[in-house]
Amino acid sequence: MTEPDDQKIIKVFLVDDHALFRSGVRAELDRAVPDVTVVGEAGSVDEAVAAIRHHRPDVVLLDVHMPDGGGAEVLRQLRPELPDVVFLALSVSDAAEDVIAVIRAGARGYVTKTISGRELADAVRRVHAGDPVFSPRLAGFVLDVFSQKPGAAPPGDPELDLLTRRERDVLRLLARGYAYKEIAGELFISVKTVETHVSSVLRKTQLSNRYELSRWASDRRLV
C-alpha cells in the first residue's frame, strides 16, 4: 500500500474531558487511518486553547461540554485567531441548543459519539476539504434552523447560545434569588465553581451585576 506523503497527512487535535475517550479516538485514527494523525489532545478549555495555538492542527475534534466551559468557548477564543483551523464538534449530546451554539461559534460540523472510527475518519477528511459534516439525524434540523424555512425551529438567541448548559443552570437559580451557597448545594458544585460560572456569564452577556443578569434571564424566560 502506498503511504501518503507528509503534505497530505491531516493533523488532528482532540479536545475532550474524558481521557479514556481520547485514548480510544487516538488509537482508532492512528492505527487504521494512514492519512490522519493525532498531534495532541487536551481535557479542558484552557489546555485546549494553549495547545491548539502551539500545534496549529488542520482539524480539531471538539467536545461540547467540559468542566471549565465548552466547545463554544474554545471556538470563541481561537476562531478569529486561527481561521485556517477547522473545528468539528464530537459530542454525546444531540440537543438543539448545543448544536446551534457551536455551529454559530464557527464549527464546520457536528457528529455524535455514536459514530464509528471509519465514519469519523471520513468526517475529518470532509471538513478538512471544506465540506460541512453532520450526523444524519442532525443534518435536516441544522438545515431547517439556519435556512429559517417556514415552520422551522426557531434559530435561538445568539447571546443565549453563547452560554453552556451549566451556565444557564446557574443563571436560572441566580435569577430566582438563590445565594451562591444555595446554588452550589442545588447543583452539587462548589461555591468557587458557581462564582466562576457567574463571571463567565457576566463576561459573555457584557452585563455588570446579578440584578442585570436577573432581568436578562427573565426577559428570555429562563427563570
Side-chain angles (χ1 to χ4, degrees), residues 124-141:
V124 167
R125 295 189 189 99
R126 289 166 58 194
V127 293
H128 181 246
D131 296 331
V133 177
F134 296 91
S135 292
R137 64 175 297 178
L138 300 178
F141 156 75

PDB file of all heavy atoms in Angstrom, residues 124-141:
ATOM      1  N   VAL A 124     -13.512  13.713   9.217  1.00  0.00           N
ATOM      2  CA  VAL A 124     -12.314  14.567   9.315  1.00  0.00           C
ATOM      3  C   VAL A 124     -11.844  14.979   7.919  1.00  0.00           C
ATOM      4  O   VAL A 124     -11.533  16.151   7.663  1.00  0.00           O
ATOM      5  CB  VAL A 124     -11.189  13.827  10.067  1.00  0.00           C
ATOM      6  CG1 VAL A 124      -9.854  14.563   9.901  1.00  0.00           C
ATOM      7  CG2 VAL A 124     -11.530  13.689  11.537  1.00  0.00           C
ATOM      8  N   ARG A 125     -11.796  14.029   7.018  1.00  0.00           N
ATOM      9  CA  ARG A 125     -11.356  14.343   5.647  1.00  0.00           C
ATOM     10  C   ARG A 125     -12.300  15.363   4.991  1.00  0.00           C
ATOM     11  O   ARG A 125     -11.860  16.282   4.308  1.00  0.00           O
ATOM     12  CB  ARG A 125     -11.331  13.069   4.808  1.00  0.00           C
ATOM     13  CG  ARG A 125     -10.317  12.033   5.248  1.00  0.00           C
ATOM     14  CD  ARG A 125     -10.226  10.907   4.220  1.00  0.00           C
ATOM     15  NE  ARG A 125      -9.421   9.807   4.715  1.00  0.00           N
ATOM     16  CZ  ARG A 125      -9.932   8.682   5.245  1.00  0.00           C
ATOM     17  NH1 ARG A 125     -11.239   8.528   5.319  1.00  0.00           N
ATOM     18  NH2 ARG A 125      -9.133   7.735   5.680  1.00  0.00           N
ATOM     19  N   ARG A 126     -13.589  15.174   5.218  1.00  0.00           N
ATOM     20  CA  ARG A 126     -14.560  16.038   4.538  1.00  0.00           C
ATOM     21  C   ARG A 126     -14.534  17.472   5.073  1.00  0.00           C
ATOM     22  O   ARG A 126     -14.600  18.430   4.297  1.00  0.00           O
ATOM     23  CB  ARG A 126     -15.960  15.437   4.678  1.00  0.00           C
ATOM     24  CG  ARG A 126     -16.129  14.169   3.828  1.00  0.00           C
ATOM     25  CD  ARG A 126     -17.377  13.401   4.221  1.00  0.00           C
ATOM     26  NE  ARG A 126     -18.579  14.203   4.084  1.00  0.00           N
ATOM     27  CZ  ARG A 126     -19.751  13.864   4.600  1.00  0.00           C
ATOM     28  NH1 ARG A 126     -19.852  12.748   5.301  1.00  0.00           N
ATOM     29  NH2 ARG A 126     -20.801  14.625   4.425  1.00  0.00           N
ATOM     30  N   VAL A 127     -14.439  17.638   6.401  1.00  0.00           N
ATOM     31  CA  VAL A 127     -14.390  19.017   6.912  1.00  0.00           C
ATOM     32  C   VAL A 127     -13.069  19.670   6.533  1.00  0.00           C
ATOM     33  O   VAL A 127     -12.998  20.872   6.286  1.00  0.00           O
ATOM     34  CB  VAL A 127     -14.602  19.096   8.441  1.00  0.00           C
ATOM     35  CG1 VAL A 127     -16.012  18.692   8.824  1.00  0.00           C
ATOM     36  CG2 VAL A 127     -13.563  18.315   9.209  1.00  0.00           C
ATOM     37  N   HIS A 128     -12.007  18.862   6.486  1.00  0.00           N
ATOM     38  CA  HIS A 128     -10.705  19.397   6.067  1.00  0.00           C
ATOM     39  C   HIS A 128     -10.760  19.870   4.618  1.00  0.00           C
ATOM     40  O   HIS A 128     -10.101  20.851   4.243  1.00  0.00           O
ATOM     41  CB  HIS A 128      -9.627  18.316   6.238  1.00  0.00           C
ATOM     42  CG  HIS A 128      -8.260  18.784   5.848  1.00  0.00           C
ATOM     43  ND1 HIS A 128      -7.563  18.271   4.779  1.00  0.00           N
ATOM     44  CD2 HIS A 128      -7.450  19.744   6.383  1.00  0.00           C
ATOM     45  CE1 HIS A 128      -6.402  18.879   4.680  1.00  0.00           C
ATOM     46  NE2 HIS A 128      -6.307  19.774   5.629  1.00  0.00           N
ATOM     47  N   ALA A 129     -11.575  19.192   3.803  1.00  0.00           N
ATOM     48  CA  ALA A 129     -11.729  19.579   2.396  1.00  0.00           C
ATOM     49  C   ALA A 129     -12.700  20.748   2.225  1.00  0.00           C
ATOM     50  O   ALA A 129     -12.886  21.247   1.116  1.00  0.00           O
ATOM     51  CB  ALA A 129     -12.220  18.381   1.587  1.00  0.00           C
ATOM     52  N   GLY A 130     -13.347  21.160   3.322  1.00  0.00           N
ATOM     53  CA  GLY A 130     -14.235  22.313   3.239  1.00  0.00           C
ATOM     54  C   GLY A 130     -15.713  22.012   3.291  1.00  0.00           C
ATOM     55  O   GLY A 130     -16.542  22.923   3.224  1.00  0.00           O
ATOM     56  N   ASP A 131     -16.062  20.729   3.398  1.00  0.00           N
ATOM     57  CA  ASP A 131     -17.485  20.366   3.429  1.00  0.00           C
ATOM     58  C   ASP A 131     -18.031  20.405   4.857  1.00  0.00           C
ATOM     59  O   ASP A 131     -17.349  19.991   5.782  1.00  0.00           O
ATOM     60  CB  ASP A 131     -17.676  18.954   2.877  1.00  0.00           C
ATOM     61  CG  ASP A 131     -17.286  18.853   1.421  1.00  0.00           C
ATOM     62  OD1 ASP A 131     -17.407  19.872   0.716  1.00  0.00           O
ATOM     63  OD2 ASP A 131     -16.853  17.760   0.998  1.00  0.00           O
ATOM     64  N   PRO A 132     -19.260  20.857   5.051  1.00  0.00           N
ATOM     65  CA  PRO A 132     -19.902  20.716   6.369  1.00  0.00           C
ATOM     66  C   PRO A 132     -20.294  19.259   6.581  1.00  0.00           C
ATOM     67  O   PRO A 132     -20.687  18.571   5.636  1.00  0.00           O
ATOM     68  CB  PRO A 132     -21.132  21.617   6.268  1.00  0.00           C
ATOM     69  CG  PRO A 132     -21.435  21.658   4.811  1.00  0.00           C
ATOM     70  CD  PRO A 132     -20.125  21.533   4.085  1.00  0.00           C
ATOM     71  N   VAL A 133     -20.190  18.798   7.822  1.00  0.00           N
ATOM     72  CA  VAL A 133     -20.488  17.397   8.123  1.00  0.00           C
ATOM     73  C   VAL A 133     -21.364  17.321   9.373  1.00  0.00           C
ATOM     74  O   VAL A 133     -21.029  17.917  10.405  1.00  0.00           O
ATOM     75  CB  VAL A 133     -19.194  16.586   8.361  1.00  0.00           C
ATOM     76  CG1 VAL A 133     -19.536  15.149   8.744  1.00  0.00           C
ATOM     77  CG2 VAL A 133     -18.325  16.592   7.107  1.00  0.00           C
ATOM     78  N   PHE A 134     -22.466  16.571   9.267  1.00  0.00           N
ATOM     79  CA  PHE A 134     -23.357  16.384  10.408  1.00  0.00           C
ATOM     80  C   PHE A 134     -23.808  14.932  10.467  1.00  0.00           C
ATOM     81  O   PHE A 134     -23.943  14.276   9.425  1.00  0.00           O
ATOM     82  CB  PHE A 134     -24.585  17.285  10.294  1.00  0.00           C
ATOM     83  CG  PHE A 134     -24.260  18.755  10.335  1.00  0.00           C
ATOM     84  CD1 PHE A 134     -24.021  19.450   9.166  1.00  0.00           C
ATOM     85  CD2 PHE A 134     -24.156  19.406  11.548  1.00  0.00           C
ATOM     86  CE1 PHE A 134     -23.694  20.795   9.201  1.00  0.00           C
ATOM     87  CE2 PHE A 134     -23.830  20.747  11.592  1.00  0.00           C
ATOM     88  CZ  PHE A 134     -23.598  21.454  10.421  1.00  0.00           C
ATOM     89  N   SER A 135     -24.039  14.465  11.691  1.00  0.00           N
ATOM     90  CA  SER A 135     -24.658  13.160  11.834  1.00  0.00           C
ATOM     91  C   SER A 135     -26.010  13.187  11.121  1.00  0.00           C
ATOM     92  O   SER A 135     -26.686  14.230  11.116  1.00  0.00           O
ATOM     93  CB  SER A 135     -24.859  12.816  13.311  1.00  0.00           C
ATOM     94  OG  SER A 135     -23.615  12.610  13.937  1.00  0.00           O
ATOM     95  N   PRO A 136     -26.419  12.071  10.525  1.00  0.00           N
ATOM     96  CA  PRO A 136     -27.643  12.071   9.695  1.00  0.00           C
ATOM     97  C   PRO A 136     -28.858  12.657  10.402  1.00  0.00           C
ATOM     98  O   PRO A 136     -29.614  13.422   9.796  1.00  0.00           O
ATOM     99  CB  PRO A 136     -27.823  10.589   9.390  1.00  0.00           C
ATOM    100  CG  PRO A 136     -26.443  10.033   9.405  1.00  0.00           C
ATOM    101  CD  PRO A 136     -25.726  10.779  10.490  1.00  0.00           C
ATOM    102  N   ARG A 137     -29.074  12.329  11.662  1.00  0.00           N
ATOM    103  CA  ARG A 137     -30.282  12.813  12.334  1.00  0.00           C
ATOM    104  C   ARG A 137     -30.223  14.309  12.646  1.00  0.00           C
ATOM    105  O   ARG A 137     -31.237  14.920  12.960  1.00  0.00           O
ATOM    106  CB  ARG A 137     -30.533  12.038  13.617  1.00  0.00           C
ATOM    107  CG  ARG A 137     -29.478  12.188  14.669  1.00  0.00           C
ATOM    108  CD  ARG A 137     -29.881  11.476  15.936  1.00  0.00           C
ATOM    109  NE  ARG A 137     -31.082  12.054  16.507  1.00  0.00           N
ATOM    110  CZ  ARG A 137     -31.691  11.618  17.581  1.00  0.00           C
ATOM    111  NH1 ARG A 137     -31.221  10.554  18.184  1.00  0.00           N
ATOM    112  NH2 ARG A 137     -32.756  12.203  18.074  1.00  0.00           N
ATOM    113  N   LEU A 138     -29.022  14.902  12.583  1.00  0.00           N
ATOM    114  CA  LEU A 138     -28.884  16.328  12.850  1.00  0.00           C
ATOM    115  C   LEU A 138     -28.938  17.163  11.579  1.00  0.00           C
ATOM    116  O   LEU A 138     -29.217  18.361  11.635  1.00  0.00           O
ATOM    117  CB  LEU A 138     -27.551  16.612  13.561  1.00  0.00           C
ATOM    118  CG  LEU A 138     -27.328  15.937  14.907  1.00  0.00           C
ATOM    119  CD1 LEU A 138     -25.948  16.299  15.443  1.00  0.00           C
ATOM    120  CD2 LEU A 138     -28.404  16.351  15.890  1.00  0.00           C
ATOM    121  N   ALA A 139     -28.633  16.567  10.454  1.00  0.00           N
ATOM    122  CA  ALA A 139     -28.461  17.339   9.227  1.00  0.00           C
ATOM    123  C   ALA A 139     -29.729  18.117   8.848  1.00  0.00           C
ATOM    124  O   ALA A 139     -29.666  19.311   8.546  1.00  0.00           O
ATOM    125  CB  ALA A 139     -28.052  16.406   8.094  1.00  0.00           C
ATOM    126  N   GLY A 140     -30.882  17.450   8.868  1.00  0.00           N
ATOM    127  CA  GLY A 140     -32.114  18.125   8.493  1.00  0.00           C
ATOM    128  C   GLY A 140     -32.472  19.246   9.444  1.00  0.00           C
ATOM    129  O   GLY A 140     -32.888  20.328   9.024  1.00  0.00           O
ATOM    130  N   PHE A 141     -32.263  18.981  10.739  1.00  0.00           N
ATOM    131  CA  PHE A 141     -32.555  20.006  11.742  1.00  0.00           C
ATOM    132  C   PHE A 141     -31.694  21.251  11.515  1.00  0.00           C
ATOM    133  O   PHE A 141     -32.179  22.388  11.560  1.00  0.00           O
ATOM    134  CB  PHE A 141     -32.305  19.415  13.134  1.00  0.00           C
ATOM    135  CG  PHE A 141     -32.000  20.429  14.185  1.00  0.00           C
ATOM    136  CD1 PHE A 141     -33.000  21.213  14.712  1.00  0.00           C
ATOM    137  CD2 PHE A 141     -30.701  20.620  14.632  1.00  0.00           C
ATOM    138  CE1 PHE A 141     -32.720  22.163  15.670  1.00  0.00           C
ATOM    139  CE2 PHE A 141     -30.408  21.561  15.583  1.00  0.00           C
ATOM    140  CZ  PHE A 141     -31.431  22.347  16.108  1.00  0.00           C
TER     141      PHE A 141
END
